[in-house]
Amino acid sequence: MFALIDCNNFYASCERVFRPDLVGKPVVVLSNNDGCVIARSNEAKAVGIPMGAPLFEYEELLNKHNVQVFSANFALYGDMSQRVMSILEQYSPEMEIYSIDEAFLKFDGLEHLNLHSYSKELRIKVQKWTGIPISVGVAPTKALAKVANRIAKKFPKETEGAYIIDTDEKRIKALKWLKIEDVWGIGRQHSKRLISVGVMTAHDFVQLDDAWVKKHLAVVGLRLKHDLQGIPTLGLDSVQSKKSIATTRSFEENYTKLEQLQERISTFAVSCAEKLRHQKSCCNSLMVFVHTNGHRKDLPQYSRNIVIKLPFATNSSIELSRFALFALSKIFKDGYHYKKAGVIVQDFTPEDSTQIHLFENRDERHIPLMKAVDALNKSYGQQKIRLATQDQKRVWKMKQEKLSPRYTTKLSDIIKIHC
């Protein structure tokens, strides 16, 4: 049996842990630079605030219903996620962390237990130890566990936040209830195609012929169909290193000078290099892109990217910055107002097994140097040690006018109790 644990309205719930006065009140969390709504409490959904709503378009509605608005506090959310996951791993030796607020557990060998009671115990412990409410769905396959979790979340009173699909009767009833567009793994385009041929529910989907599903949804779709039929096809995924790493930003103002973009691209390359070293990888190629502001129709538009193959694999901030700046020089054009740029590193190899080339290789002196830089930045604060190509005074600072304290990760923000 598989269990899917999903934190309810996770970002909003994290804010409520330290602000219990917000329980029962509408809460939303905004994207980077306070642009759009990326998380909503149930109360915020009820007053009509959609996911992705631009803040400036919904300010009147937010004020009317006294919705509490927060900037994204990812340091807090990441720490709370780790606390939840550390509790979940006590309930099964096999766990797949699917996202910041979701995890699959495998309940093999626990058949002697009452899984509903076991799931309720898990819910109570997570809520008590972290303050985060969760829903639990248990079923013979991962896809069905997703369905069971959706039922637990949709009907919290009837299910007590935990639902088990342990009979074929329950499976069929659940699939008939679930709309095809809500099936895990069925994207918007696939759902449109399925609806056009009369597939309205998950139950309709599993009635389709295997050959048709494979032809139109490929092998992935066929595996999903089998999983929904109760045939275990999708196993737990082990944690894998990322296959590409991107650092991109929209600028606070339009940039017109090459020097301005060079500083940003260098900083983005350094960030990618740090992430590469963290997962002990080197990259063999990188992409640099620049965009003008598509919303400024009064200005000339330009968008360009370039991919360059590196002469050797590296994760050195110095070398990646140099390659990224070379790439930028190939695509930069005068006369445009640039609003966004980024660096994406890809084509990874493990740092301890990079291939030696005949004519040009990474500078081995950079290996201990980067270790020292990482250690210093970890001890004294991110970006304390920088390259000369970076702005020594500038720190990435998103627009976060409604940022809550970092209660669990910053000592100066810790809750103070007066007694």
Side-chain angles (χ1 to χ4, degrees):
M1 296 290 277
F2 291 87
L4 175 67
I5 293 83
D6 187 7
C7 300
N8 300 342
N9 308 314
F10 181 58
Y11 291 173
S13 294
C14 287
E15 300 291 351
R16 283 173 164 171
V17 169
F18 304 95
R19 288 282 308 276
D21 59 302
L22 298 180
V23 174
K25 297 179 181 178
V27 175
V28 299
V29 177
L30 304 176
S31 62
N32 290 344
N33 293 314
D34 292 348
C36 302
V37 172
I38 59 171
R40 306 161 295 162
S41 67
N42 290 334
E43 296 81 4
K45 297 174 187 177
V47 300
I49 301 169
M51 181 65 81
L55 179 63
F56 71 93
E57 289 184 8
Y58 284 82
E59 283 186 320
E60 185 177 340
L61 185 62
L62 293 168
N63 293 330
K64 178 181 177 182
H65 295 282
N66 194 28
V67 179
Q68 301 298 306
V69 181
F70 291 92
S71 301
N73 191 339
F74 292 120
L76 174 65
Y77 308 153
D79 184 67
M80 294 301 292
S81 174
Q82 290 180 353
R83 292 168 188 249
V84 171
M85 300 305 169
S86 67
I87 298 171
L88 299 184
E89 65 184 4
Q90 298 174 19
Y91 282 79
S92 172
E94 296 184 75
M95 181 172 79
E96 173 194 340
I97 298 176
Y98 186 67
S99 67
I100 192 171
D101 62 346
E102 288 181 277
F104 285 101
L105 299 180
K106 205 168 184 181
F107 281 170
D108 286 3
L110 303 178
E111 291 80 5
H112 61 287
L113 297 175
N114 182 317
L115 290 181
H116 191 267
S117 299
Y118 195 63
S119 299
K120 283 176 61 180
E121 176 191 324
L122 190 157
R123 286 188 68 247
I124 292 169
K125 180 172 283 190
V126 171
Q127 175 95 50
K128 184 176 181 180
W129 287 16
T130 67
I132 302 295
I134 65 170
S135 298
V136 184
V138 181
T141 69
K142 287 178 72 175
L144 286 173
K146 269 276 191 180
V147 179
N149 183 279
R150 196 176 188 91
I151 293 171
K153 188 171 286 189
K154 183 72 174 179
F155 307 102
K157 292 183 179 179
E158 296 85 344
T159 63
E160 299 180 279
Y163 188 71
I164 319 293
I165 296 178
D166 52 3
T167 67
D168 208 45
E169 182 182 359
K170 285 185 176 181
R171 180 186 69 84
I172 293 171
K173 184 179 179 180
L175 295 184
K176 287 182 176 179
W177 167 79
L178 188 65
K179 295 178 181 179
I180 188 63
E181 59 265 30
D182 294 331
V183 174
W184 177 50
I186 298 292
R188 183 179 301 174
Q189 295 304 318
H190 282 322
S191 65
K192 287 181 180 178
R193 176 181 295 172
L194 290 166
I195 290 171
S196 71
V197 297
V199 176
M200 310 304 292
T201 67
H203 186 260
D204 295 335
F205 174 64
V206 299
Q207 305 306 308
L208 293 173
D209 182 71
D210 279 4
W212 189 96
V213 174
K214 186 175 181 180
K215 178 181 178 181
H216 294 279
L217 278 75
V219 175
V220 175
L222 185 60
R223 289 173 182 164
L224 175 61
K225 180 199 168 188
H226 291 164
D227 231 51
L228 290 170
Q229 290 174 314
I231 306 168
T233 309
L234 307 172
L236 294 185
D237 294 331
S238 57
V239 177
Q240 298 180 345
S241 296
K242 295 179 180 179
K243 296 182 180 179
S244 66
I245 293 172
T247 302
T248 69
R249 291 290 186 278
S250 294
F251 308 135
E252 66 278 8
E253 59 186 32
N254 292 333
Y255 287 175
T256 57
K257 298 179 180 178
L258 175 61
E259 294 78 14
Q260 293 173 305
L261 283 172
Q262 285 176 326
E263 192 281 328
R264 290 291 81 197
I265 290 298
S266 177
T267 298
F268 299 162
V270 168
S271 176
C272 288
E274 290 171 349
K275 295 172 184 176
L276 279 171
R277 295 195 295 272
H278 181 72
Q279 72 170 40
K280 301 186 184 306
S281 298
C282 291
C283 73
N284 288 276
S285 64
L286 63 78
M287 174 193 289
V288 172
F289 72 84
V290 291
H291 295 323
T292 52
N293 190 343
H295 297 291
R296 291 290 303 274
K297 304 301 182 184
D298 58 318
L299 297 175
Q301 299 296 312
Y302 176 68
S303 177
R304 183 77 188 277
N305 68 69
I306 183 172
V307 177
I308 63 170
K309 181 75 175 176
L310 307 186
F312 48 81
T314 182
N315 58 17
S316 162
S317 297
I318 299 170
E319 291 169 337
L320 285 178
S321 175
R322 174 160 52 87
F323 291 131
L325 291 176
F326 170 76
L328 174 65
S329 69
K330 296 295 183 182
I331 59 175
F332 175 82
K333 284 187 177 181
D334 277 319
Y336 291 97
H337 294 71
Y338 295 95
K339 185 62 177 177
K340 187 174 183 178
V343 175
I344 303 171
V345 292
Q346 49 204 9
D347 190 14
F348 296 167
T349 54
E351 65 177 2
D352 58 358
S353 59
T354 54
Q355 186 173 350
I356 303 298
H357 297 273
L358 182 61
F359 297 107
E360 191 173 6
N361 290 287
R362 65 180 302 190
D363 191 330
E364 295 295 325
R365 296 174 299 176
H366 291 185
I367 298 175
L369 176 60
M370 291 299 109
K371 285 183 178 179
V373 168
D374 290 340
L376 287 168
N377 282 336
K378 184 177 180 180
S379 297
Y380 296 103
Q382 193 178 18
Q383 302 179 46
K384 291 294 183 183
I385 308 298
R386 308 186 190 189
L387 301 185
T389 50
Q390 296 177 260
D391 187 332
Q392 301 305 301
K393 297 179 180 179
R394 179 170 182 167
V395 177
W396 278 344
K397 193 170 184 179
M398 294 184 292
K399 180 184 177 184
Q400 292 180 304
E401 296 177 349
K402 304 176 186 297
L403 185 66
S404 58
R406 300 174 188 175
Y407 300 102
T408 64
T409 62
K410 191 174 181 181
L411 193 57
S412 60
D413 286 352
I414 196 169
I415 289 178
K416 298 178 178 65
I417 300 176
H418 301 281
C419 56

